[in-house]
Amino acid sequence: MRFARLFKSIIFATIFNSIYLLYMADIFEKLTRHQGPIGQHRERAHGYFAFPKLEGEIGSRMKFRGKEMIVWSLNNYLGLANHPEVRKTDADGAREFGLATPMGARMMSGNSNQHEQLERELAAFVGKEESALLNYGYQGMVSIIDVLCARHDIIVYDAECHACIIDGLRLHSGHRYVYKHNDMADFEKQVQRSQALIEKQKGGGILVITEGVFGMAGDQGKIKEIAALKSKYGFRILVDDAHGFGTLGKTGAGAGEEQGVQNDIDLYFSTFAKSMASIGAFVAGDKQIIDYIRYNIRSQIYAKSLPMPVVLGNLKRLELLKTNPSLKEKLWSNALKLQNGLRKKGFDIGKTDSVVTPIYMKGDVPEATNMVMDLRENYGIFCSIIVYPVIPKGNIIYRLIPTAIHTDKDIEATLNAFEATKKKLDIGDYQVEAIPDMADA
């Protein structure tokens, strides 16, 4: 009997394992069969349309595959990347401290007077009590959302929020409601839905997330209109101002300053990767809330602190941002020349009210890639392009990023190049069945 039971158990286990293996797939198999909507073009696109390599000194003109290009794809808004004072500070910091100092996470052994000085200066610049440094903008925003919101809290966010916000939302175990982009009627509707749910579950608060400047379309978030509803609904506001910091407002303190509601922003977030041309980020607000974030944000507690040369470099960049208003003035002069020139030539640049300059066109991926090639190979223009699946099929968006170091010659050559290539696009010169093979050998 014992032998019979053992034999049956073995048979059952064998059959079960066989069925299990029959339905179980190698987790890597699907990755090799489906490379993703962009990755499917990798064999033709790598090194040219995707992962291109710009070489030489960072500036308005750089080398791409040995050819000089007028570059409109660098978020070097104020031209600080190669500013001589910035380069000297970066080099001096690396010479004195190396890249390892301070060693460890800030909570354990990686804090310094310079880290705290940068936090104080950033908080004062954006008009907040306190700020906390973050190692990266993307990682920082994901982590802030995670640390702020519990299961019963509700997040209301703009439909065109950046991917870092969307990924942060994925970590949230509670409800989240999206409102149509900059649509205040729909915004209020989603806040009301949130209030009703909070009453039903008898607990929770509301966090509203918007951007100071939406990086794709260039339009500012409706911070002023949102802030006007705070007292009515009792929510808190988190603003991601990556593209507004340093470019908007009288002093460069961002979209909140530009719209006159900086004090109504509960948490102000920005990255150093845009106007400061560096690495890192910060979040600023009331001291008690920033202290809570500082002592609970997992991505910073368990990560090495920003290296000292980066901190010193960011202090110098912030100093230049505060003391050289001519940098922002030159940026806006160039942006308006570019934007007004495009409008005069009949281009649709949408509703941008920032320096971000989109150009909207019609066409599919193969046409877009041929137009990009023509712009690069025959006109020496290098800029970012957005196509399906990021945007709907049949649409092309070029995103141009003006900087303080672009010249009138750069702008004139770019306007002429887009005028010429747009004519070719409209008459079908770029129509092909597949994208060209321009991948690196």
Side-chain angles (χ1 to χ4, degrees), residues 260-380:
V261 290
Q262 189 77 346
N263 291 338
D264 294 310
I265 296 173
D266 296 294
L267 284 173
Y268 180 92
F269 168 91
S270 190
T271 174
F272 301 143
K274 306 295 190 292
S275 290
M276 302 247 284
S278 181
I279 291 175
F282 73 100
V283 59
D286 291 347
K287 185 180 187 306
Q288 189 173 5
I289 305 306
I290 297 301
D291 278 346
Y292 177 85
I293 292 172
R294 183 180 284 120
Y295 275 83
N296 292 277
I297 186 165
R298 292 169 62 83
S299 68
Q300 301 305 125
I301 292 172
Y302 299 102
K304 185 183 183 298
S305 67
L306 283 172
M308 188 68 80
V310 174
V311 173
L312 296 174
N314 285 331
L315 280 165
K316 172 56 70 174
R317 288 163 169 84
L318 183 59
E319 175 193 324
L320 292 171
L321 193 157
K322 292 189 291 187
T323 59
N324 285 266
S326 60
L327 296 174
K328 184 164 72 72
E329 291 166 6
K330 180 60 176 173
L331 164 65
W332 271 98
S333 174
N334 286 342
L336 292 174
K337 285 175 186 175
L338 177 67
Q339 291 176 1
N340 291 336
L342 287 166
R343 287 192 178 102
K344 285 179 182 177
K345 291 183 179 294
F347 285 96
D348 177 10
I349 64 170
K351 297 179 180 179
T352 181
D353 52 359
S354 71
V355 296
V356 177
T357 306
I359 305 174
Y360 297 91
M361 298 183 186
K362 294 294 182 183
D364 290 313
V365 175
E367 292 171 275
T369 52
N370 273 281
M371 188 176 180
V372 167
M373 284 180 58
D374 197 11
L375 280 166
R376 292 180 184 177
E377 301 301 321
N378 300 313
Y379 297 92

Side-chain angles (χ1 to χ4, degrees), residues 108-127:
M108 302 301 292
S109 56
N111 198 17
S112 77
N113 291 331
Q114 291 87 342
H115 285 72
E116 292 180 352
Q117 178 187 349
L118 180 55
E119 287 176 330
R120 287 194 302 271
E121 292 192 18
L122 285 163
F125 183 63
V126 298

Side-chain angles (χ1 to χ4, degrees), residues 59-61 70-72 74 76-80 247 325-343 349 352 354-357 400-415:
S60 69
R61 293 180 182 239
I70 302 172
V71 181
W72 296 97
L74 305 181
N76 182 27
Y77 286 125
L78 301 179
L80 294 179
T247 70
S326 60
L327 296 174
K328 184 164 72 72
E329 291 166 6
K330 180 60 176 173
L331 164 65
W332 271 98
S333 174
N334 286 342
L336 292 174
K337 285 175 186 175
L338 177 67
Q339 291 176 1
N340 291 336
L342 287 166
R343 287 192 178 102
I349 64 170
T352 181
S354 71
V355 296
V356 177
T357 306
L400 278 61
I401 302 295
T403 71
I405 54 176
H406 279 101
T407 67
D408 288 349
K409 280 189 175 181
D410 296 335
I411 295 168
E412 182 181 3
T414 300
L415 292 172

